Structure formats: C-alpha cells, structure tokens
C-alpha cells in the first residue's frame, strides 16, 4: 500500500519559470511532543474523518473551522540576493498527531515573473525530487503514471499579479511531511530602489518561524530599509545588520509574538515582508561584473538633466470608471500636470464610445495651459462604452502630425500613457487587431505605457500592447489607492534622461550578449545587459556605451576588473557564485520568449523555440516549453508540475446576434485614403454597456431593495424575507408592455437559524417586441417568437432586436437598453463553489425614469412615480451608529433606521457603501400592501392588482 494515497500539484504561472538553487541546510525534524494545537489558515489541513466542527463568522459568510491535530512544526524562508539575483527557499515541516489520515495543502505565493527551479518533499521517509523535461516527454511520463494507476496530478491555470505553487498530500496517522520550494528572480530598480517582497502566509502558529534575507552587493549598499507592513505588530522583531557591501535581515518571532492577541490561537504573520535598498553609484554610472565566463553590466546614471518630453494622456472615461476610480484618477492627473516642466509639451485624450481631445495639438506646459487642462479633467463625467482602438490611434496621430510639422524638439522623447479599467466594448473589439493597428501607426520614437485599473481589465493585453511599443504596463486593483498608484506609475516612466542607449563590447560577438540597444533610459530605473565570454582569451572586458542626453552625446567606457569579484565572493558563504550565469539565462530566456511571440514567420518561431528549449533544459527552468517531473527514488510514484503555454491570443471575440456591424477599426482621419462606406443600423455603434449613473433603484444580496427617490434625494431600503422558488414582481407596466420578475433561490443551508434567499433568475418581457429575456447565473436566453438564442456568461456579446439592445460583458454584467431611454443592468455574483452556505446570485439595477406609464407597479415599479415622503425627528437609535427617524409616507407613520447597503457596480469584490433609511417588516407601509401581494405564478406573469 502506497504511503502517498493522494497528491495534487498545481503551478500557476504566466510565461517563464526556472533555475536551480543550492539546497539550504535546514535541520531535520526535532521532537513533536510539545507542539501546540494550531488554527487552520493558509495551510488547509482537512481530515478525512471529521470529529467535530465549530463555526466562525467571516466576511463572506460562515466558514467551518476544523479541529484537528495536524501541526505546523516549522516555517522557514531564506533569501539571498547577490548583485540583484535573488534566490529564495521556502520550507515547511508538518506532523500528523491525530489517529486519522489528514489532507495537507502546501500553497504558497511567489512574485509573478519569478522562476521556480526546484521542488522536493519528504512524506514519512519517502523523498520526492524534481527534474526538468521537455514538455511532451514530461506529459508522456505523467500519462504513463495515470495509466498504471499511480499517483499523479496536473492542473494548469493562468495567474494575475501573483502566482501560486500548490501541492496536496494525504498523510497517515503519525506521519511527517516536509515541503521545500526554490524560486529565483532578478530585482528590477524602480523609483530609485530595489524591492524584495516575501509573501509570508503560514496560516497558523509555527513553533519555529524563521526568515533570513542576505543582501550581497559588490557595488556597495547605499541604504537598506524594511517598512512596517504588519501595522506595528512586530515592532522590534526584525533585526538588521548592515555593512558596506553586505546586509542581513533576521525575522524570527516567537510563538507568543506570532499571536494576533495574547490569548489568540491565530497568527498575525499574514502579509508581505519587504526589503528596500539601493546600491552606490557616486563613482561611476555603470558596474561591469565578470565571473565564471559570464558578465553582467548594470547601468543607472544619475545627476543628468531630464530630456524634454511630448506626452499624451489617454484616459478611459467609460461608465465603468464611474465613482471612486474616476475621482482618484482626476486627483492624480491634477498632481501629474503640476509635475510637467516648462519645456514639455502635452495634451489629453479622454474616451468612452466617443473620442474627445482637450487640445487637438500638443501645447507647451505653461501655467495657463496646465490650469485649463485641470478644469477640463475636473468636468469629466464617466459614461458609455470603451473604444480603446480609436483613442490610441488618435493619440498616435497627434504625435505623428506634430513630428511631421516640425513641432517636436529633436532632442525630446514622445510618450503615450493609457489609463483604462476595461476591455473594448465599442469599435474594434478584437484585441489582436487593436495591437496590429497600434503597431502599424506608432513611430519608433514613441513609447506606449499602460496602467490597468481594477480586477476586470485584460492586463495581459495591456502588457502586450506596451511591450511591443517600447513601454511597460502596470496593474492596480480597484480597492487600492488609485490616485497614489497612478502618480507612482507616472513618476516611474516620465523622467527620460537618455535616448538611444547602445552598449558595445569590442571583443565579443553580439550573439553572446542579451539585448544591447535601448530606446530610452528613465530616471530611477536601471538597464541590465548580460553576456558570455571566454576567460582563456580575454584578460580584460571592455564596454563602450553611447547615448544622447538633454544637452550632449555621451560616450562612457568601462573596464572590468577580472579578479576582484572572485575574491569578494569567496569570502562570503551566503553569496551565490553562480549569479552571473543565472542572471544571463534569466534575461536571455525572457528576451527570447518575447521575440517568439512576435516572430514574423513560422520558421523564425521554430528556431527561437528550439533555442528556448535547449536553454530551459540546460539551466533547469520551467518554461512554456518544459515541465517539472517529480518522483520518488523508485520511480513508481510520479507527479508533474506544468507551466501553462504562453497566451498571446487576445480574446474570444464578440458574439453578434441580429445585425452584425462591421466597423472600420482604423478611423478615416488616421489613413486619409478613401474607404467604402458600410451601411449600419442605428443602434450598431451605440453604447454596449449601460452607464452607471450615481442614483438607481437596485436589489442586491438576500435580497436588499434600495429605492432612490430623486425629488427627495433620499435612498429608502427594505428587505424581503421569503422562500426559495417564489417569484416576485419587480416591475409590471401592462400599458407599456414591460415586465420584470425575479425568482428566488435559497442558500445551501441556514445560517443562525435563517435561510437566506437571493435572485437566481430574472425575467424581462417587452410585449411590443414579443421578446423575452431570461437571465440565470448560468445562461442568458433570448426568445422572440420562435427564435431562441442562448448565451453563456463566458461570452462577450451584443444582441440587437428592433428597439432592444442586449449587451453581455463576460462574467460581469448584462445590460438591456430599450429605445436608448430605459435601461436595466444585471450583475453576476460568483462565490466559491465549495462554500458551505453561499450560492451564485444576481443583482439588478434600474435607473429612475419617467418612461413608464402611470399604471406601472411592482416592488420597484411603483416608485417610478415618486411618492411624497417626509423624514423628521432624527434621534439616537438603539445602536449608537444607527440613528432612527420618523417617516411619513402614503398615509403611514413609520420608524426608520439609518444603515448602509452595498452597490457593486464599480467595485465588484467589496462594493461601495450606500447610505439609506431602512424600513422594517419587509417594507410594510412603504410598499403598497403586503410583500406577498407581489408573488406571481410564472416568470413572465404580469402583476394582478386587487
């Protein structure tokens, strides 16, 4: 019987992973007799035979805490940074003290772009080690293991800004397990410093928790700082020792210090430990380090005058930017405009489904122009769809025209900064076509930088767009401080100091050197070049750098001292003597992967692919072309860690129902040559997603009704507590022929004795069009007479039928627009499939409108014709933060309570708080009659009023 009865390994990676790191000498297990019972967390210890459970309340609902006797003995992290090359090892040791088998999950986060090089584990004395194979070979071995019934697991997935390495193993009573993961990354200089981030998530108290970071920089350490990222909980725990070229950080909290509070069993170690530092550059602009047949050249000159810049800000002002995102973007832009220098030129392009320009030409950054631009930005009101293609082409056109007319300083650089939070929904929708349009029109002297905001933006698309056009992309989430993140991003990319930087090594062939030509150098960053050389034929390595600064042509010559580095490294046991080879391989493989995605022919792509594969196998790197095979010594138990293939496809496209609109993706003003006109329906080029207005009627969660009364400028809210399966009428207007009903679904089980209900299905009926739209958490079904169209939430689509436009935004919203005057938005809420209580559900948002007839009714429809209300006598409530008041409405005098509900249109994860006056007893007195009067028998039944 195999000790290892269950194993699952998942590697969530984006493009490249790899490199072998020397194994650290962690001590073996000590004794386990005095371990404390710990609280579950990131390590998910799930027993097969549960003995008892206790419930704890969490933000997303009830979660189950398992009482078991799997204990975390040690959690150790070691990082060594040698000349910006960081090697990190994460090791954990776990023991099963219970009498039952237990599932143990090892789930760690690593920075995106890091290369996983090695993984090993020991399960009750059986050791599993890893090797790198060509991907098809690795999968064949995996398939053989599956065919013979051996333990194997393969899960592939793309991550966003972080990557997860995850393994799951079932261990027998009394068994011990040790996991050890190795990864490495190159530290990139941004805004004048390097950041090394370690994600510490032991999930529970550890008897031995140790983190060590060694920084070895032959160039000398200018400063080293460890910011407080744990809200002061570990004041005095990190110990820093710093010398001229070496530094050490030790973080070893005791079990008592790990506790969230003195009597808590939960750990406070949950977050990032950050080390920030920079190296000395007072003596020379570059450092050429040579060792073991490889060299690394770091170049970061300082004290240079900035080059004048021509900058176009391209800002997304579509409806999805409404709210805090737009407010913070405006505030950031005002600060950014103040940072422009007198010799800079600029303009602003803002776009939704239309493209607007503050100035059609570049203007000088005078105080008057900056003040006028600020006024323009402050007046922006987000609305409509997203036409990224035309916005970028307009910005490129302005820069190209300025260059053609001789308006640009020959010594200046040109930049476009795109700020957006969503995918294109208007105009050209195919992302690969947008990339092609930009690439064909942008000139070689223009750099495109992209900032993606929020969880829903296609960040991979923005990265490709920027990488192809001499820029970089960055992502921030909607729950972060957008303003400060935008300013930080701007500062990173907006200080060009050198143009046309060229590295030359007279005694080496170019094929031995990574990329050696760079369009621009920006202040606070660093250019890194690496290469191979023959130490037998080269006594001294020479580099010549040519570049253009603001005032002059620069020629910098550097000679490497061949013996000094070897002497320095030999004196430090923590220094990585192989750092030059690893850094060269890291840079070269990343460069080749980028070139592969842009290869002009199939033959060129095959040649690059062959080189990447050879290097991946030689340097023990998991890339899209290789896989990591993990097996025991006997080879009869085998697992596979597989990186996903590079994804350079752009999108699934858009599905069109009704009349497809073939819009030209390149506007006529970009290319003045005549193009044939294509007839299109009136609705073809209109907004594809409804604009989130500030005030709407809405129903969210279980279910909470929030009714906005425009004349009173008040939100009134109430809950409906009913049963699963019941159908509630929301809007019934037989005169206009408009109907909206919602069917309730129940949670998986009661919480605190109450079963919550949510809207699982919504039905819309437009009688004049004989069109029915049924929206569930699984599909969107459109029926018109005998024709039926079914869409999935995984589609991006639009449906045009006479007066009705239906737009589907993938996994987010369905927007229904009638005659452009009336709209309904449905939001999809997904929950974890294995959540013990919660289920997927729908929210609905309806802006107030006067387009309904006087006979409109329903739980929402009755308020389209606003009743008179008076709220007075506000006073302290039973709960201090919830005051009470009296409300006079419809001949009733009600006691209402001030509270908060959530609007999820602009922040789909956390929601935006909405203040309202809450009416108790299912809205009694505020709604007409009793809530049960609004039950209807079928999804498309009009309400029968008594």
């Amino acid at each position: 019987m195999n000790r290892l009865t269950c194993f699952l390994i998942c590697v969530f990676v984006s493009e490249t992973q790899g490199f072998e790191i020397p194994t650290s000498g962690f001590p073996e297990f000590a004794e386990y007799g005095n371990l404390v019972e710990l609280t579950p967390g990131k390590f998910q210890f799930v027993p097969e035979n549960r003995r008892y459970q206790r419930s704890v309340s969490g933000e997303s609902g009830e979660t189950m805490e398992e009482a078991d006797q799997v204990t975390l003995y040690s959690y150790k992290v070691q990082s060594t940074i040698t000349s910006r090359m960081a090697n990190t090892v994460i090791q954990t040791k776990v023991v099963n003290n219970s009498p039952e088998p237990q599932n143990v999950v090892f789930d760690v986060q690593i920075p995106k772009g890091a290369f996983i090089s090695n993984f090993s584990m020991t399960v009750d004395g059986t050791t599993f080690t890893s090797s790198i194979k060509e991907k098809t070979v690795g999968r064949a071995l995996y398939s053989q293991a599956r065919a013979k019934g051996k333990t194997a697991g393969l899960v592939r997935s793309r991550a966003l800004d972080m990557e997860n390495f995850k393994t799951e193993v079932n261990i027998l009573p009394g068994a011990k397990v040790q996991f050890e993961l190795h990864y490495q990354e190159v530290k990139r200089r941004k805004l004048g410093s390097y950041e090394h981030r370690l994600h510490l998530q032991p999930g529970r108290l550890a008897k031995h928790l140790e983190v060590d970071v060694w920084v070895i920089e032959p160039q000398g350490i200018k400063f080293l700082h460890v910011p407080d990222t744990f809200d002061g909980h570990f004041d005095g725990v990190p110990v820093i020792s710093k010398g001229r070229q070496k530094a050490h950080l030790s973080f070893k909290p005791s079990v008592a210090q790990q506790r969230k509070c003195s009597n808590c069993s939960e750990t406070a170690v949950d977050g990032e430990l950050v080390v920030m530092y920079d190296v000395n550059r007072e003596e020379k602009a570059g450092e050429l380090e040579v060792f073991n047949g490889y060299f690394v050249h770091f170049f970061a000159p300082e004290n240079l005058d900035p080059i004048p810049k021509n900058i176009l800000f391209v800002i997304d002002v579509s409806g999805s930017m409404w709210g805090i995102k737009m407010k913070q973007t405006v505030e950031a832009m005002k600060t950014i405009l103040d940072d422009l220098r007198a010799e800079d030129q600029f303009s602003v392009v803002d776009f939704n489904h239309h493209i607007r320009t503050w100035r059609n030409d570049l203007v000088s950054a005078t105080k008057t122009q900056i003040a006028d631009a600020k006024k323009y930005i402050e007046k922006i009101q987000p609305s409509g769809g997203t036409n990224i293609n035309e916005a970028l082409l307009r910005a490129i056109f302005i820069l190209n025209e300025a260059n053609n007319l001789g308006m640009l300083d020959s010594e200046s650089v040109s930049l476009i900064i795109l700020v957006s939070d969503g995918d294109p929904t208007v105009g050209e929708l195919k992302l690969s076509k947008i990339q092609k349009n930009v690439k064909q029109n942008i000139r070689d002297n223009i750099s495109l930088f992209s900032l993606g905001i929020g969880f829903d933006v296609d960040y991979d698309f923005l990265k490709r767009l920027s990488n192809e056009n001499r820029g970089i992309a960055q992502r921030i989430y909607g729950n972060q401080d957008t303003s400060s993140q935008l300013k930080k991003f701007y500062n990173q990319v907006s200080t060009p100091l050198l143009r046309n930087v060229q590295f030359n090594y007279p005694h080496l062939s170019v094929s031995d050197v990574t990329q050696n030509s760079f369009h621009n150098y920006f202040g606070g960053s660093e250019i890194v070049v690496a290469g191979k050389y023959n130490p037998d034929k080269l006594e001294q390595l020479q580099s010549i750098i040519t570049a253009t600064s603001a005032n002059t042509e620069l020629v910098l010559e550097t000679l490497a001292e061949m013996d000094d580095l070897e002497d320095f490294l030999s004196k430090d046991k923590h220094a990585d003597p192989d750092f030059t080879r690893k850094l060269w391989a890291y840079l070269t493989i990343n460069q080749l992967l980028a070139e592969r995605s842009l290869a002009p022919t199939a033959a060129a792509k095959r040649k690059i692919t062959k080189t990447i594969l050879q290097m991946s196998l030689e340097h023990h790197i998991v890339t899209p072309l290789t896989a990591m095979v993990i097996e025991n010594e006997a080879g009869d138990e085998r697992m596979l860690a597989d990186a996903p293939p590079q994804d350079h496809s752009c999108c699934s496209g858009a599905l069109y129902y009704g009349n497809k609109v073939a819009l030209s993706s390149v506007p006529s003003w970009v290319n003045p040559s005549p193009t044939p006109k294509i007839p299109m329906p009136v609705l073809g080029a209109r907004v594809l997603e409804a604009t989130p207005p500030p005030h709407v009627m809405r129903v969210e969660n279980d279910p909470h009704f929030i009714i906005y009364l425009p004349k009173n400028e008040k939100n009134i809210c109430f809950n409906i507590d009913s049963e699963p399966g019941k159908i509630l009428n929301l809007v019934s207007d037989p005169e206009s022929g408009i109907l909206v009903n919602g069917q309730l679904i129940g949670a998986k089980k009661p919480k605190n004795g109450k079963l919550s209900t949510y809207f699982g299905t919504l039905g819309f009926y437009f009688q004049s069009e004989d069109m029915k739209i049924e929206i569930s958490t699984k599909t969107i079904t459109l029926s018109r007479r005998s024709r039926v169209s079914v869409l999935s939430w995984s589609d991006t689509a639009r449906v045009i039928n006479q007066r009705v436009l239906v737009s589907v935004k993938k996994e987010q919203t369905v927007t229904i627009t009638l005659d452009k005057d009336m709209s309904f938005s449905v939001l999809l809420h997904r929950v974890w499939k294995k959540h013990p209580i919660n289920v997927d559900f729908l929210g609905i948002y309806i802006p107030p409108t006067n387009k309904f007839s006087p006979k409109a009714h329903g739980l929402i429809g009755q308020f389209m014709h606003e009743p008179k209300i008076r709220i007075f006598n506000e006073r302290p409530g039973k709960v201090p933060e919830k005051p009470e008041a009296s409300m006079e409405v419809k001949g009733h005098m009600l006691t209402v309570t001030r509270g908060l509900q959530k609007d999820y249109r602009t922040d789909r994860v956390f929601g935006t708080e909405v203040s309202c006056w809450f009416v108790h007893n299912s809205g009694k007195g505020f709604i007409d009659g009793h809530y049960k009067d609004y039950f209807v028998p079928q999804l498309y039944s009009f309400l029968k009023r008594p």
Side-chain angles (χ1 to χ4, degrees), residues 389-652:
N389 180 70
E390 192 166 343
L392 287 174
L393 293 180
R394 179 69 61 86
I396 293 168
F397 175 78
I398 291 174
L399 286 171
N400 288 346
E401 283 293 288
N403 187 65
N404 294 338
L405 296 172
M407 296 171 57
L408 306 184
D409 186 336
S410 60
E411 301 300 325
S412 64
V413 298
S414 297
L415 315 173
I416 295 173
I417 296 182
L418 168 67
V419 180
S420 180
D421 76 332
D423 295 335
T425 60
V426 178
E428 180 56 66
L429 302 179
K430 193 174 182 181
L431 301 187
S432 60
K433 183 63 174 175
I434 296 175
Q435 287 177 240
K436 183 178 179 181
N437 291 340
V438 171
K439 188 71 175 175
Q440 288 178 343
N441 288 277
I442 198 169
R443 295 190 175 182
D444 289 342
N445 61 346
I446 301 174
S447 297
L448 171 60
F449 299 92
S450 304
L451 184 68
I453 300 176
F455 291 87
D456 304 325
V457 67
D458 191 333
Y459 181 56
D460 286 337
F461 164 61
L462 294 183
K463 280 202 305 182
R464 290 193 297 272
L465 200 60
S466 293
N467 291 343
E468 287 179 2
N469 297 288
R470 297 159 295 282
I472 61 173
Q474 186 168 316
R475 174 181 186 146
I476 60 176
Y477 293 102
N479 58 332
Q480 293 177 325
D481 184 349
T482 303
S483 179
S484 64
Q485 293 290 317
L486 177 53
K487 285 184 283 189
K488 183 177 181 180
F489 178 70
Y490 170 78
N491 291 335
Q492 178 184 330
V493 304
S494 66
T495 315
L497 300 178
L498 292 175
R499 294 186 301 112
N500 303 323
V501 185
Q502 182 77 35
F503 290 75
N504 296 287
Y505 303 91
H507 303 294
L508 298 177
S509 66
V510 175
S511 61
D512 294 331
V513 180
T514 58
Q515 181 180 351
N516 64 336
S517 180
F518 300 85
H519 187 66
N520 293 318
Y521 165 72
F522 293 89
S525 62
E526 182 174 61
I527 295 176
V528 183
V529 178
K532 299 170 68 176
Y533 74 97
N534 187 338
D536 296 331
K537 297 181 180 180
L538 196 62
E539 295 181 358
Q540 203 162 41
L541 181 62
Q542 178 188 26
S543 76
I544 300 174
I545 304 172
T546 59
T548 303
S549 71
N551 304 310
T552 185
E553 295 289 327
L554 296 180
V555 179
L556 304 174
E557 185 173 343
T558 303
L559 294 175
E561 299 298 331
M562 310 295 277
D563 299 325
D564 290 354
L565 186 61
E566 182 175 2
D567 182 60
F568 171 76
L569 294 176
S570 65
K571 295 178 180 178
D572 194 296
K573 65 178 181 179
H574 297 294
D576 181 2
D578 211 18
F579 82 93
T580 50
R581 181 184 68 87
K582 293 177 182 178
L583 207 151
W584 172 79
Y586 183 102
L587 295 175
T588 302
I589 290 177
N590 271 312
Q591 181 179 320
L592 288 171
L593 286 168
E595 291 176 1
R596 181 175 182 264
S597 67
L598 303 174
T601 65
K605 187 171 185 177
R606 284 195 297 271
K607 184 178 179 181
I608 296 172
T609 300
K610 183 178 179 181
T611 305
I612 295 173
L613 178 58
Q614 289 173 342
M615 289 192 64
S616 301
L617 295 173
E618 180 183 349
H619 295 275
H620 202 264
I621 296 171
V622 180
T623 70
L625 306 178
T626 58
M628 179 183 286
V629 177
I630 305 164
E631 57 188 346
N632 63 358
E633 186 176 357
D636 58 357
E637 294 188 70
R638 186 176 295 142
M639 290 71 69
L640 183 71
D642 190 13
Q646 271 189 296
D647 179 23
H648 294 288
S649 62
C650 289
C651 63
S652 58

Side-chain angles (χ1 to χ4, degrees), residues 69 863 907 918:
Q69 296 191 24
F863 299 104
D907 188 337
F918 182 78

Side-chain angles (χ1 to χ4, degrees), residues 116-156:
I116 293 178
S117 65
N118 198 14
F119 172 74
S120 63
M121 69 177 186
T122 301
V123 183
D124 201 21
T126 301
T127 299
F128 291 76
T129 56
S130 64
S131 60
I132 301 297
K133 305 290 185 183
E134 192 271 330
K135 180 162 284 188
T136 56
V137 174
R139 289 181 176 176
L141 291 170
Y142 167 76
S143 298
Q144 291 171 12
R146 288 187 64 188
K148 295 177 182 178
K150 302 300 181 184
T151 305
L154 167 59
V155 175
R156 293 179 292 147

